[in-house]
């Protein structure tokens, strides 16, 4: 695939429709179709763009057309007051994968973290996504083996957060 010029910019309220479409596309790619996905994607886009989530969305564009997104937030405390930039998700539309946009996206975000004075830029990748893992390793990102990732989900979340939850 021929290299194209990519631009990256933080999403603004006028981008709500495009961001919601990318969120829905990502959901379909990773988890399949479900009822209500379009409305949910729009609600998430509106929450992010309305400043109600503490998350920022960054768009990857080709010819001013959004073809991917990343969601990032600053985490505190960190070794400096600037914090750590944390990337929750990076998604590139199917037709753009393999074009170098993912590599350029990660480098853009690393530059943004450096411009903020962050001492770290962290993210996770699914172990069953070998293309993402290979990309991040090829970029020279360090695999953090001393951290363990935890999760509570579904019905367990309600009980886990209850005051009367039994101690292990």
């Amino acid at each position: 695939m021929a290299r194209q010029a990519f631009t990256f910019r933080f999403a603004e309220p006028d981008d709500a429709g495009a961001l919601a479409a990318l969120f829905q596309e990502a959901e379909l790619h990773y988890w399949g179709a479900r009822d209500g996905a379009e409305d949910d994607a729009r609600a998430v886009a509106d929450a992010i763009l309305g400043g109600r989530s503490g998350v920022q969305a960054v768009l990857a564009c080709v010819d001013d057309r959004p073809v991917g997104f990343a969601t990032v937030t600053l985490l505190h405390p960190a070794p400096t007051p600037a914090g750590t930039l944390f990337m929750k998700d990076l998604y590139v539309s199917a037709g753009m994968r393999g074009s170098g946009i993912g590599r350029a996206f990660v480098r853009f975000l690393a530059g943004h973290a450096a411009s903020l004075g962050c001492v770290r830029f962290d993210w996770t990748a699914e172990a069953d996504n070998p293309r993402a893992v290979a990309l991040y390793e090829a970029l020279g990102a360090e695999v953090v083996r001393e951290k363990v990732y935890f999760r509570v989900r579904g019905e367990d979340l309600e009980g886990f957060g209850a005051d009367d939850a039994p101690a292990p």
Side-chain angles (χ1 to χ4, degrees):
M1 176 177 287
R3 293 272 180 203
Q4 298 184 36
F6 312 122
T7 58
F8 303 95
R9 63 181 176 79
F10 284 84
E12 298 177 357
D14 288 348
D15 295 313
L19 187 59
L22 285 167
F23 285 170
Q24 187 175 2
E25 183 182 320
E27 182 173 325
L28 182 62
H29 173 76
Y30 289 111
W31 302 292
R34 68 172 179 83
D35 290 339
E38 185 175 348
D39 291 338
D40 289 351
R42 183 57 188 240
V44 172
D46 288 345
I48 289 172
L49 297 174
R52 296 185 309 274
S53 69
V55 172
Q56 291 182 294
V58 182
L59 294 173
C61 301
V62 173
D63 298 327
D64 294 325
R65 179 178 56 90
V67 296
F69 72 87
T71 52
V72 296
T73 192
L74 285 173
L75 300 178
H76 295 92
T80 69
T84 294
L85 186 69
F86 182 79
M87 177 174 65
K88 167 60 174 87
D89 286 300
L90 187 151
Y91 176 80
V92 175
S93 292
M96 296 304 301
R97 291 185 201 130
S99 68
I101 199 165
R103 175 181 298 270
F105 215 152
V106 172
R107 291 195 184 281
F108 171 82
L109 293 169
H112 176 64
S115 76
L116 294 173
C118 296
V119 295
R120 288 194 338 226
F121 170 37
D122 291 346
W123 65 93
T124 62
E126 300 294 331
D128 64 353
N129 187 344
R131 287 183 68 179
V133 171
L135 167 67
Y136 301 145
E137 288 179 341
L139 283 168
E142 170 189 356
V143 175
V144 179
R145 301 210 186 278
E146 64 270 13
K147 294 283 186 177
V148 178
Y149 188 74
F150 293 91
R151 175 177 293 150
V152 178
R153 68 169 115 198
E155 291 177 12
D156 293 338
L157 186 58
E158 268 186 53
F160 191 84
D163 286 340
D164 60 348

